[in-house]
Amino acid sequence: MRQTIISYTEDEVNKVGSINDIEKGFKIWIDIIDPTPQKIAEIKQSFQLDPRALDAFIKNSKKPQVRMLDDHTFTIILDIEYKDRKNLAIEVIYLFLGTDWLITIHSSNVDLITIVERLLEEKNKKIMVANIDALYYNILSETVDRYEKLLTAIELTITNIQQRSLYKPSKKMLEYLDSLSIQIILLRRHFWQVKGILNFLSHTKKDKEEVEYIEVAYDNIMQLIDLVESYRDTINSTRDLYIANVSLQMNDTMKTLTLFSAILLPLTFIASVYGMNGLDLNNINTIPVGFAIVLITMGIVGAFLFWLFKKKQWILVKDEDTNDLGKRSKNKAL
């Protein structure tokens, strides 16, 4: 368990703050990493946190949501990173927003301290002058901005699979595409939930300067939703490309086998004819009647099959001239 408290005012930032700084006019941010049950009970008592909100944390709820409680706001948002083609690293951030305080609870895999310190250094005037809501909005906005890196990693993976499917398609590529499709579905659902949170917050707060932060995040999440939709189409196109390349490879294989069959077919025919019983190769001038009947029957069967295939237009099919097609269409119209 690790706890960090940063307190700040319009003119001062104290990176080693305490809860008592609220009484001195400071706004405080409390970041708790992997808290113990004792720490949760202490925070609950100090800030009168809603039991139902804490119950969502205890049950490790991962559904993005926002609740407007009596004297504070409870929010759940996910920090997602691309781990590999089959897995996403999902971490949950729980935020409790009060009048002059903000509490964030998460695992050690999430680094909010660096983000907050950078925000206070880069935008210290705007954030430090505004109330604690500005810091809360910026944390949400920074989390949404990291989703763009996630989608970039997925896009690069899809591009890599597209290139490989052109040269060496394999069954593993279909497995990768199926995994990416599942990831895209999960991300799409999560982004829509985050969109609902940001839309709700942008309409419940009246301070225009503070709402600007959340409106930027709302615009970003809308763009990410559009990207996710386009990735779904790209994955489907990649799957079609894979199937087409597999079909081409199969056609090439069948072509090779057909060529070998065409070479061996006349040799097999000659061997079968001269291997018939009743044909004496030492006395070739005398052809038995039975052998002649077999040859004639073979010729008749072959000619009949050739005529049948030609009638069904399976062989020796001529391409119709476009002029003839035009004439036929004109005659039908008349």
Side-chain angles (χ1 to χ4, degrees), residues 246-262:
V246 170
S247 299
L248 287 176
Q249 287 189 350
M250 186 178 296
N251 291 337
D252 291 338
T253 302
M254 295 302 298
K255 180 180 179 181
T256 303
L257 294 175
T258 303
L259 290 175
F260 278 107
S261 299

Side-chain angles (χ1 to χ4, degrees), residues 77-82 89 91-93 106 109-116 118-119 138-153 187 190-191 217 220-221 224:
I77 194 169
L78 303 183
D79 182 79
I80 308 176
E81 292 184 358
Y82 181 76
E91 300 293 339
V92 190
I93 303 175
H106 54 85
N109 296 323
V110 179
D111 181 15
L112 292 182
I113 297 176
T114 303
I115 294 175
V116 172
R118 177 173 54 81
L119 288 172
N138 274 275
I139 291 176
L140 294 179
S141 180
E142 289 288 334
T143 303
V144 171
D145 289 343
R146 289 203 295 274
Y147 294 158
E148 186 175 354
K149 297 180 181 179
L150 165 67
L151 293 185
T152 300
L187 290 177
H190 172 65
F191 289 170
N220 291 339
I221 200 67
L224 295 178

Side-chain angles (χ1 to χ4, degrees), residues 19 95 110 116 144 163 168 226 250 255 271 298 326-327:
I19 296 177
L95 302 98
V110 179
V116 172
V144 171
Q163 294 175 350
K168 296 180 179 180
D226 293 339
M250 186 178 296
K255 180 180 179 181
M298 293 172 61
K327 291 179 180 179

Side-chain angles (χ1 to χ4, degrees), residues 96-318:
F96 298 84
L97 174 66
T99 305
D100 294 315
W101 51 269
L102 172 64
I103 301 174
T104 55
I105 304 175
H106 54 85
S107 71
S108 58
N109 296 323
V110 179
D111 181 15
L112 292 182
I113 297 176
T114 303
I115 294 175
V116 172
E117 289 180 348
R118 177 173 54 81
L119 288 172
L120 293 175
E121 290 175 0
E122 293 180 354
K123 306 176 182 178
N124 53 358
K125 287 300 180 183
K126 291 185 178 180
I127 294 180
M128 293 168 63
V129 170
N131 58 36
I132 196 69
D133 292 21
L135 181 61
Y136 165 71
Y137 290 152
N138 274 275
I139 291 176
L140 294 179
S141 180
E142 289 288 334
T143 303
V144 171
D145 289 343
R146 289 203 295 274
Y147 294 158
E148 186 175 354
K149 297 180 181 179
L150 165 67
L151 293 185
T152 300
I154 293 178
E155 182 179 5
L156 293 175
T157 302
I158 296 174
T159 303
N160 184 30
I161 293 177
Q162 282 181 326
Q163 294 175 350
R164 291 177 58 186
S165 64
L166 290 173
Y167 303 103
K168 296 180 179 180
S170 62
K171 292 182 179 180
K172 289 185 177 180
M173 292 184 184
L174 280 181
E175 296 178 1
Y176 291 155
L177 289 174
D178 291 339
S179 300
L180 286 173
S181 297
I182 295 174
Q183 291 180 359
I184 290 298
I185 292 173
L186 294 176
L187 290 177
R188 180 177 179 273
R189 183 178 62 182
H190 172 65
F191 289 170
W192 274 98
Q193 291 171 339
V194 174
K195 173 195 171 186
I197 292 175
L198 300 179
N199 184 49
F200 175 79
L201 292 174
S202 64
H203 287 85
T204 54
K205 297 298 181 179
K206 298 181 180 180
D207 194 325
K208 293 183 179 180
E209 293 183 359
E210 296 171 7
V211 171
E212 287 179 356
Y213 297 114
I214 211 69
E215 287 179 346
V216 172
Y218 181 82
D219 293 338
N220 291 339
I221 200 67
M222 290 301 297
Q223 294 176 4
L224 295 178
I225 290 174
D226 293 339
L227 285 176
V228 167
E229 295 291 345
S230 66
Y231 290 164
R232 291 178 60 189
D233 297 336
T234 303
I235 289 176
N236 292 332
S237 300
T238 304
R239 187 180 285 107
D240 294 340
L241 179 62
Y242 167 84
I243 295 174
N245 287 330
V246 170
S247 299
L248 287 176
Q249 287 189 350
M250 186 178 296
N251 291 337
D252 291 338
T253 302
M254 295 302 298
K255 180 180 179 181
T256 303
L257 294 175
T258 303
L259 290 175
F260 278 107
S261 299
I263 294 172
L264 295 175
L265 184 61
L267 303 179
T268 303
F269 174 74
I270 294 173
S272 62
V273 170
Y274 284 97
M276 289 180 181
N277 294 328
L279 177 63
D280 187 5
L281 294 178
N282 295 323
N283 191 11
I284 195 66
N285 295 326
T286 303
I287 299 177
V289 177
F291 180 72
I293 294 174
V294 170
L295 291 180
I296 294 172
T297 303
M298 293 172 61
I300 293 173
V301 171
F304 172 75
L305 292 176
F306 182 83
W307 171 81
L308 180 64
F309 293 161
K310 188 175 184 304
K311 182 179 180 181
K312 291 182 174 295
Q313 295 185 351
W314 291 353
I315 58 176
L316 301 178
V317 180
K318 294 183 180 181

